[in-house]
Amino acid sequence: MTLPELWFVLIAVLWAGYFVLEGFDFGVGMLLAGLSRDEVDRRVVLNTIGPVWDGNEVWVLVAGGATFAAFPDWYASLFSGFYLPLLLVLVALIVRGVAFEYRGKVDSASWRRRWDLCIVWGSLLPSVLWGVAFANLVRGVPMTAEGEFDGSLLGLLNPYALLGGLTTCTLFLLHGALFLALRTTGGVRERAHRAAAALGPVAAALAVAFLGWTQALRGSAATLALAAVAAAALVAGLVAQRARREGWAFALTAVTLVAAVATLFVALFPDVMPSSTDPAGTLSIAGAASSGYTLEVMTRVAAFGTPLVLLYQGWTYWVFRRRIGRGSIPAPVALPAQRRPETAPEQVG
């Protein structure tokens, strides 16, 4: 395996890790309003991801940075071609992060309700757009012979890409519901089980349709085997959920997401950005890679730093592994009330 191929695999691993980890906290964010009956329930739901959501986002930052350093031509074409969808994802992630930090700063139901809406929409938008972006990447986008994107936003919203967006969104919802069932007690846990039972068949149908379409577009024996693994893991996860084996169900949906991401990257290989209009514009792994020296330095840094990051993140999950219920939520502390606009003094005379 050459160094460019190694980094293509490592970038696929980073995206798989991101979809597994950020996937469940996107799902929890989208389910915040639907599974909560009052403010205590909402605090239970948010506390399940409170200690880990920002650490999960590190994976997408590293994936983007690795793409920039290892494949600068791919990074340039990707971020110029998908500029608007990626900008929307960035804005959604920022608003969502601000909402986590600010919803508890003022003692006002309307204040918290607005930030909760930001969390729901800030989780929904990236869940759909990541699927749209990856589906377009596999399908191919209009590229000139010079390797420049030559399409429009509407062109990215084709039926295959929209199916990809719906698939990632429902898989993240299911993954998040199973995470809540695993990490909570009481009413939230029961509602999470019911949500997972309802979402499971929909997610399975969409995933089979999307991976089947991917197989028809750029399939091979390897992608067929990976898609079969994804489907089998999803079905086994739904069986485990019905048996109330939450840990197994969550682990199996994680396997589904890893196998689905692997299917997309194997379908893409040996290209990184195929052109749907001019084959001369297709970017390949070899053509888009940085110099051998750059990749060698990156490999040494990754070999040293990656285990440390994994150990730290694993320790975080271990520390916050216990279930959370309404009894785990402390009484609210005194907070400033939402300030009302001052009225102008009445005119005298």
Side-chain angles (χ1 to χ4, degrees):
M1 180 183 288
T2 63
L3 278 178
E5 290 171 349
L6 173 65
W7 274 97
F8 180 76
V9 172
L10 290 176
I11 288 170
V13 170
L14 290 169
W15 279 108
Y18 176 66
F19 273 30
V20 168
L21 297 177
E22 188 88 307
F24 76 73
D25 73 46
F26 279 153
V28 170
M30 287 186 280
L31 292 167
L32 173 64
L35 298 190
S36 306
R37 295 293 177 266
D38 55 23
E39 172 59 16
V40 179
D41 277 353
R42 283 187 282 276
R43 291 177 67 188
V44 169
V45 170
L46 291 174
N47 272 280
T48 60
I49 58 172
V52 296
W53 69 268
D54 47 357
N56 294 341
E57 289 188 353
V58 169
W59 288 74
V60 72
L61 297 176
V62 178
T67 306
F68 172 74
F71 301 101
D73 289 346
W74 184 17
Y75 182 91
S77 300
L78 186 65
F79 278 75
S80 61
F82 296 174
Y83 176 75
L84 191 53
L86 293 180
L87 177 64
L88 290 173
V89 168
L90 180 62
V91 171
L93 293 179
I94 292 172
V95 170
R96 179 172 176 267
V98 172
F100 282 134
E101 300 294 335
Y102 275 75
R103 76 175 299 279
K105 298 292 185 186
V106 174
D107 186 15
S108 164
S110 61
W111 169 274
R112 289 190 291 268
R113 192 165 51 249
R114 291 189 193 107
W115 286 118
D116 289 346
L117 280 176
C118 291
I119 293 172
V120 173
W121 284 98
S123 304
L124 174 65
L125 203 57
S127 298
V128 174
L129 289 176
W130 282 131
V132 169
F134 271 87
N136 275 296
L137 206 58
V138 173
R139 176 178 176 267
V141 291
M143 301 274 287
T144 66
E146 290 74 31
E148 296 179 359
F149 180 76
D150 190 26
S152 64
L153 176 63
L154 287 179
L156 298 178
L157 301 178
N158 53 77
Y160 173 67
L162 292 174
L163 177 60
L166 285 175
T167 303
T168 51
C169 184
T170 51
L171 282 175
F172 291 169
L173 276 167
L174 174 62
H175 201 40
L178 291 173
F179 180 75
L180 282 174
L182 176 66
R183 289 293 319 282
T184 60
T185 61
V188 174
R189 182 188 180 196
E190 294 305 314
R191 289 190 286 277
H193 265 296
R194 288 198 291 273
L199 287 164
V202 180
L206 288 171
V208 168
F210 178 64
L211 292 176
W213 198 338
T214 303
Q215 184 68 20
L217 282 176
R218 296 177 65 92
S220 63
T223 56
L224 183 61
L226 287 167
V229 170
L234 185 53
V235 171
L238 297 181
V239 172
Q241 183 275 324
R242 285 188 178 277
R244 296 280 181 142
R245 302 296 298 270
E246 291 119 343
W248 279 107
F250 179 71
L252 286 164
T253 52
V255 172
T256 301
L257 288 167
V258 170
V261 173
T263 304
L264 297 181
F265 272 83
V266 171
L268 201 57
F269 185 86
D271 300 326
V272 290
M273 199 155 180
S275 171
S276 61
T277 51
D278 188 347
T282 293
L283 287 176
S284 66
I285 293 174
S290 291
S291 68
Y293 176 74
T294 302
L295 295 176
E296 187 178 336
V297 171
M298 287 176 62
T299 305
R300 292 177 187 275
V301 172
F304 173 75
T306 304
L308 296 178
V309 174
L310 293 177
L311 280 173
Y312 173 75
Q313 198 155 22
W315 176 78
T316 306
Y317 277 91
W318 175 256
V319 169
F320 296 102
R321 67 188 181 280
R322 292 185 178 174
R323 288 183 184 270
I324 300 172
R326 294 175 69 90
S328 313
I329 303 300
V333 298
L335 292 170
Q338 190 173 16
R339 298 182 65 180
R340 297 178 183 280
E342 295 180 2
T343 55
E346 293 183 1
Q347 298 291 325
V348 178

